[in-house]
Amino acid sequence: MFIMNTYTPPKKEYKTAIREVDLNGLTAGGENSLNFLHSETQKVSKPLIACEILTNIPSNHPQLLKDFWGENIYNPIECVKSALNKNFSALVIRFNIENCEDIDAEIEKSKEQLKEILKITDLPLFLIGTFRREVDAKLLPELAKTADRKCTIGAVEEENFRQIAPIVKDCGHNIIARTPIDINLTKQFNILLTELGFNADRIIIDPNTGGLGYGLDYAYSIIERIKQAALQGDTMLNMPVITFVGEEAWKTKEAKSNNVPVEWGNLTTRAISWESITATSMLVSGANIVVMRHPEAIKYVQDFIDKTYG
Amino acid sequence: MKLTGLQIFKYLPGSKKEPQANCKKCGFPTCMAFAMKLAKNEVPIEKCEHITDELKSIFEEASQIQQAEIQFGCAEDPVKIGNETVMFRHDKKFVNPTCIAVKLESSDENFDEKLNKILNYSVERVGEDLKISTLALFDTDKTFEEKAKKVAKSKLPMILVSENIEKTTKILDEIKDFKPLIYIENSSPEELAEIEKKYNVPVVSSGSSIEELVNNSAKFIENKTQNIVLNLKNQSQKSLIENLTYIRRSAIENKFKPLGFPVIQFTKDIADLSQDPIEQGIWTSVLLCKYANIIVLEHFDEAIIYSLLTLRQNIYTDPEKPLQIEAKLYPIGETDENSPVIVTTNFALTYFTVVGEIEASNIPSYLAITPSDGMSVLTAWSADKFNGEIIAKTIKTYGLEELVKHKKLIIPGYVSSLKEEIEDELPDWEVIIGANEAVDIVDFLRSYQKQQLLNL
């Protein structure tokens, strides 16, 4: 039997690159290959981890996160200060207003917090709202106006972007566009944003994700499909992808509870690996930015990225 | 990728309304019926007299195996790996879940205890029992043979890792019905091919580069052995994902025969990887996605294994068919007329998570499951498959109006906006807004039930 045994590496050459978004001091995207395939891309673009800080700590917030940050967790300014010596590449500030009785007062408070934070750090900032559409429609434009340097603001959805995106655009910020795990809706939403005059090089896709064991597979496949389409030339899908891994991983029972079968193992190991593995699966499927919450998990995943990107 | 019945049908006389259409000479009533059978390989292609050369070559091309399927363990319950047909799970369901193996050295002081732990590990998730697939037994002292027999007796699929051909073949002589995967370091393809043929066991072909693997495979194939698993040694973290992707791509997309075999990766062969269980777990998660068929972990850690088995379940589900359960009324625990009534969708993950929490609360409850096409609560709500009308119909059809006397219905917190809509449809009922996340159901149910008892 004759066997063809000359190996040629099955390299792919994609003509279209992922758009490079300037996060102010750092860029996301820019590669023209799938993640981790270094010999295919003309420009190596290391995926980023952003550490997420909340302005309100809900009563059921995971104990491990409270333990790590200590009292600082209840004060976003102190929390940002203590984050500054941890070598994070970027910070996500989630203005998760809890009290909706007096929205205007809460928004004023958020603006003051943001002003303080802008003073104490030069790190690229992502300013995130509550994911409640009406609240975000009021909150996010105010944050956009308050931020005196380029930030990344979101997430906007099809239901509220008309009230938010024009102001984010005029203030020169980037925007995060969220759609519910559907590639067609993602594309359609990017088109709507550009029709509104938003520069496509300032859009970041949030395909909405699920934590490990809780719908992660949907986001995993949507991201893979977005990247395939993007690299093959779809210029309304070739924006960098962000995934809010920490939010999803830390709301699971696996990351929170000790009252579980013994087979689930040690809580700390499980919770840290739950967040880390949710992040690595998003990275291998194609995410450019992963947003995480526990500094230990961030350290593990950052170390993985550093070693795999050399 | 294999052709579907419809793709085949396009080339048959039936689809072109030619005179020979549906001639029945193949033994089937229509060309379509023949196409369906052929797609499943249940009839030889020659049965049709009108097959064109074009279809024949397309069919042969499509039927060619991209990645061999290899199995090992005991005959009744072997572990199967390989036979993958696509690069991405959104193209088609992955075939054989990654085999997660744990390393154990024959000289380990706590050998029996560790073996039992691996054997007995089992955890239920979304209705599936998740277990450790395989044990990798390393030859580190003279008890290797005895330990191998012990594992074989337990029927847990095993990988034998040794540098010693004689020791290994002696074990194979004794455990005849049990077929381990054989890894003999520093042995030639010719020696390994001989073992494969004599004992009918799969063997690992290893090399430090893809080129070396290709050369080895050629030798195996020359020696008429294709029962092999590929292994890359001494890999830098920087190049490993790309190398594994290229092996899989060569097999799947280029049908490059020398790499058309499953791949085993030992975490110990990854440079600069510490023994830290989380660091090992992170790399294993990456290998599971991209593209190892067997992964051998250095240690057994419940939390890490549980995370990895969960990831495997996620990656290997069929992306076209969300796991769903039958829409009906599920009494959880010893329910009575005072038990709470909770409604949610028939997405399997939602169901199993909610049941777990109700059980943990120790409050017997009725769980009413709506027919929502296997969508989660928010997805079903957006798709209008979980609305006032559907929920009201569910409550009525399941006879809950007779089963309980309180007429109170708990709905998921995320769809609190449905309250009025449901109460319009079910005027006698009061809708209670439940927890947003399953993890908060226990607290919710306990305080809810306390309140109800106070009201009685």
Side-chain angles (χ1 to χ4, degrees):
Chain A
M1 185 170 45
F2 172 74
I3 308 151
M4 254 289 296
N5 56 8
T6 322
Y7 170 71
T8 322
K11 263 194 199 182
K12 302 230 179 205
E13 276 179 37
Y14 297 109
K15 288 188 187 73
T16 309
I18 303 302
R19 290 170 192 269
E20 195 165 14
V21 175
D22 170 19
L23 303 173
N24 199 359
L26 200 62
T27 57
E31 73 282 6
N32 62 329
S33 76
L34 299 175
N35 280 356
F36 303 100
L37 304 188
H38 308 302
S39 62
E40 297 187 358
T41 188
Q42 275 144 358
K43 182 180 185 306
V44 175
S45 153
K46 212 165 157 177
L48 305 172
I49 306 176
C51 176
E52 183 171 26
I53 288 164
L54 280 65
T55 59
N56 277 294
I57 301 301
S59 59
N60 61 355
H61 203 61
Q63 192 57 43
L64 286 172
L65 289 171
K66 291 189 199 166
D67 291 348
F68 187 93
W69 293 101
E71 279 305 303
N72 287 340
I73 201 169
Y74 297 102
N75 180 337
I77 313 297
E78 291 306 316
C79 207
V80 169
K81 279 186 194 159
S82 78
L84 291 180
N85 58 13
K86 294 187 170 62
N87 283 325
F88 297 135
S89 317
L91 295 179
V92 169
I93 314 295
R94 181 183 291 246
F95 294 88
N96 57 329
I97 297 172
E98 290 279 306
N99 173 12
C100 291
E101 303 283 295
D102 190 354
I103 288 288
D104 294 336
E106 289 289 327
I107 290 176
E108 278 313 307
K109 194 173 136 197
S110 302
K111 282 163 67 176
E112 291 310 312
Q113 288 170 330
L114 175 57
K115 280 181 199 161
E116 281 300 307
I117 292 168
L118 285 161
K119 269 186 233 162
I120 55 177
T121 177
D122 294 329
L123 285 177
L125 292 181
F126 294 78
L127 312 176
I128 307 300
T130 61
F131 290 105
R132 290 198 302 275
R133 286 160 193 159
E134 303 80 34
V135 178
D136 285 355
K138 290 184 185 163
L139 169 68
L140 296 180
E142 291 303 316
L143 297 179
K145 284 187 259 177
T146 306
D148 55 4
R149 59 180 160 96
K150 187 179 198 175
C151 293
T152 303
I153 295 182
V156 292
E157 299 177 79
E158 222 178 306
E159 291 81 358
N160 64 9
F161 79 101
R162 288 183 196 280
Q163 292 140 280
I164 304 168
I167 296 159
V168 173
K169 179 183 85 130
D170 291 345
C171 298
H173 303 299
N174 305 314
I175 204 160
I176 299 172
R178 171 176 278 201
T179 37
I181 315 192
D182 181 325
I183 188 169
N184 299 316
L185 292 180
T186 302
K187 180 170 178 171
Q188 184 187 313
F189 192 29
N190 289 335
I191 294 172
L192 287 175
L193 279 167
T194 50
E195 281 174 358
L196 207 71
F198 218 101
N199 185 342
D201 292 334
R202 278 170 36 200
I203 299 174
I204 294 176
I205 296 173
D206 171 11
N208 212 339
T209 183
L212 175 59
Y214 295 87
L216 170 140
D217 38 325
Y218 295 90
Y220 183 93
S221 284
I222 287 298
I223 297 173
E224 290 202 323
R225 288 177 60 196
I226 289 175
K227 291 295 171 179
Q228 290 293 309
L231 294 170
Q232 282 160 22
D234 194 325
T235 55
M236 277 299 117
L237 282 172
N238 66 336
M239 296 79 174
V241 167
I242 190 170
T243 60
F244 291 88
V245 161
E247 178 191 15
E248 297 300 325
W250 287 100
K251 72 182 179 198
T252 65
K253 186 170 185 166
E254 280 79 357
K256 277 182 158 178
S257 182
N258 248 327
N259 191 13
V260 297
V262 290
E263 289 79 10
W264 288 23
N266 172 276
L267 173 62
T268 309
T269 313
R270 187 199 323 137
I272 299 295
S273 75
W274 215 258
E275 184 177 31
S276 304
I277 289 178
T278 306
T280 48
S281 345
M282 291 297 108
L283 291 173
V284 294
S285 74
N288 299 83
I289 306 161
V290 288
V291 179
M292 300 177 68
R293 288 191 176 173
H294 200 297
E296 276 297 307
I298 294 178
K299 216 160 101 189
Y300 275 111
V301 179
Q302 188 63 55
D303 185 56
F304 167 76
I305 293 174
D306 290 344
K307 284 181 176 157
T308 45
Y309 274 79
Chain B
M1 221 186 333
K2 279 191 166 178
L3 296 178
T4 64
L6 266 178
Q7 283 166 332
I8 295 172
F9 178 67
K10 279 194 291 188
Y11 294 92
L12 297 177
S15 74
K16 298 172 197 153
K17 302 213 165 65
E18 285 166 6
Q20 318 91 309
N22 305 325
C23 71
K24 301 185 182 64
K25 284 183 188 155
C26 59
F28 297 99
T30 61
C31 288
M32 188 54 149
F34 173 76
M36 292 302 188
K37 289 282 171 190
L38 183 58
K40 290 188 214 158
N41 271 331
E42 288 173 0
V43 59
I45 191 166
E46 293 76 22
K47 276 272 176 191
C48 174
E49 291 180 5
H50 313 291
I51 288 285
T52 59
D53 289 344
E54 191 190 5
L55 174 59
K56 209 167 177 180
S57 69
I58 292 171
F59 181 77
E60 273 164 16
E61 167 86 10
S63 316
Q64 204 185 323
I65 289 169
Q66 293 147 292
Q67 187 188 46
E69 184 171 78
I70 303 293
Q71 63 177 55
F72 56 96
C74 63
E76 312 97 81
D77 192 16
V79 50
K80 289 183 185 170
I81 50 161
N83 198 16
E84 296 303 335
T85 60
V86 294
M87 294 299 290
F88 300 104
R89 62 186 290 283
H90 60 254
D91 287 328
K92 200 170 176 232
K93 183 180 185 291
F94 286 155
V95 183
N96 286 314
T98 318
C99 166
I100 296 176
V102 177
K103 171 180 167 178
L104 192 53
E105 293 179 339
S106 62
S107 60
D108 196 293
E109 279 177 17
N110 305 311
F111 187 91
D112 288 353
E113 192 194 322
K114 287 187 179 170
L115 171 62
N116 280 330
K117 239 171 130 185
I118 293 167
L119 265 177
N120 296 329
Y121 186 85
S122 172
V123 57
E124 197 204 308
R125 201 180 163 85
V126 198
E128 200 185 331
D129 284 324
L130 308 175
K131 292 175 192 302
I132 296 170
S133 324
T134 293
L135 184 140
L137 181 66
F138 278 64
D139 177 4
T140 49
D141 70 351
K142 58 181 190 304
T143 67
F144 182 53
E145 191 184 331
E146 169 207 328
K147 302 285 167 61
K149 282 193 270 182
K150 199 175 253 178
V151 180
K153 211 173 158 192
S154 79
K155 301 202 168 168
L156 180 68
M158 171 169 62
I159 305 163
L160 283 179
V161 184
S162 174
E163 287 181 0
N164 191 319
I165 294 187
E166 274 167 45
K167 253 175 156 180
T168 308
T169 50
K170 203 168 158 226
I171 293 169
L172 291 173
D173 281 326
E174 299 213 20
I175 51 167
K176 286 223 164 68
D177 299 331
F178 185 87
K179 307 289 180 197
L181 170 63
I182 302 299
Y183 186 113
I184 303 173
E185 283 170 271
N186 309 318
S187 54
S188 68
E190 289 79 6
E191 288 169 315
L192 288 166
E194 203 172 302
I195 294 176
E196 190 278 330
K197 273 185 270 184
K198 184 166 176 204
Y199 297 99
N200 190 23
V201 287
V203 292
V204 174
S205 162
S206 66
S208 297
S209 66
I210 298 182
E211 287 78 5
E212 198 182 334
L213 290 181
V214 170
N215 289 337
N216 285 347
S217 288
K219 288 179 196 152
F220 275 105
I221 296 169
E222 268 169 42
N223 280 286
K224 300 195 168 38
T225 299
Q226 300 199 26
N227 199 9
I228 62 174
V229 175
L230 308 175
N231 171 240
L232 275 176
K233 291 191 296 191
N234 312 325
Q235 291 295 298
S236 78
Q237 298 202 22
K238 198 175 171 186
S239 61
L240 182 54
I241 301 173
E242 183 163 282
N243 283 343
L244 292 174
T245 303
Y246 282 3
I247 292 177
R248 180 69 65 92
R249 224 183 238 174
S250 301
I252 301 297
E253 293 180 353
N254 300 348
K255 298 188 178 173
F256 183 57
K257 186 79 192 162
L259 295 175
F261 301 97
V263 171
I264 182 171
Q265 183 67 49
F266 293 83
T267 55
K268 71 172 175 64
D269 285 336
I270 305 173
D272 300 322
L273 184 62
S274 81
Q275 294 286 324
D276 180 293
I278 298 177
E279 214 177 297
Q280 294 253 329
I282 283 176
W283 250 104
T284 307
S285 74
V286 170
L287 296 170
L288 198 152
C289 296
K290 307 276 163 195
Y291 283 104
N293 304 81
I294 306 175
I295 305 163
V296 183
L297 281 159
E298 286 291 280
H299 299 290
F300 174 80
D301 178 294
E302 276 100 345
I304 301 298
I305 291 284
Y306 178 57
S307 317
L308 293 168
L309 291 173
T310 303
L311 177 64
R312 185 177 72 181
Q313 193 180 39
N314 279 171
I315 300 297
Y316 280 83
T317 49
D318 188 341
E320 282 169 18
K321 288 184 216 133
L323 294 170
Q324 48 179 293
I325 48 131
E326 190 188 344
K328 61 173 192 176
L329 183 67
Y330 294 85
I332 315 294
E334 305 274 324
T335 46
D336 61 30
E337 57 187 18
N338 293 318
S339 301
V341 177
I342 303 169
V343 69
T344 194
T345 72
N346 67 334
F347 179 38
L349 176 62
T350 305
Y351 168 80
F352 284 105
T353 314
V354 173
V355 168
E357 297 305 318
I358 296 175
E359 283 170 351
S361 76
N362 278 322
I363 297 170
S365 307
Y366 285 108
L367 183 57
I369 297 295
T370 58
S372 303
D373 293 352
M375 294 180 200
S376 68
V377 169
L378 279 178
T379 321
W381 172 73
S382 337
D384 215 20
K385 300 276 181 194
F386 192 63
N387 57 27
E389 197 188 330
I390 291 173
I391 293 172
K393 203 175 152 204
T394 302
I395 299 303
K396 286 183 197 152
T397 346
Y398 298 167
L400 277 158
E401 290 176 307
E402 289 79 48
L403 282 171
V404 294
K405 56 177 192 188
H406 51 69
K407 299 235 176 356
K408 288 195 173 93
L409 173 64
I410 301 169
I411 65 169
Y414 279 128
V415 290
S416 55
S417 57
L418 285 178
K419 183 175 159 75
E420 272 180 39
E421 205 180 317
I422 302 169
E423 286 174 347
D424 284 348
E425 301 272 343
L426 291 172
D428 301 340
W429 286 70
E430 183 193 345
V431 169
I432 313 283
I433 312 296
N436 274 345
E437 299 292 340
V439 68
D440 298 319
I441 288 179
V442 174
D443 285 344
F444 170 83
L445 266 184
R446 285 189 183 148
S447 68
Y448 170 79
Q449 199 62 353
K450 211 159 128 193
Q451 198 59 43
Q452 298 307 302
L453 292 173
L454 286 176
N455 293 347
L456 278 179

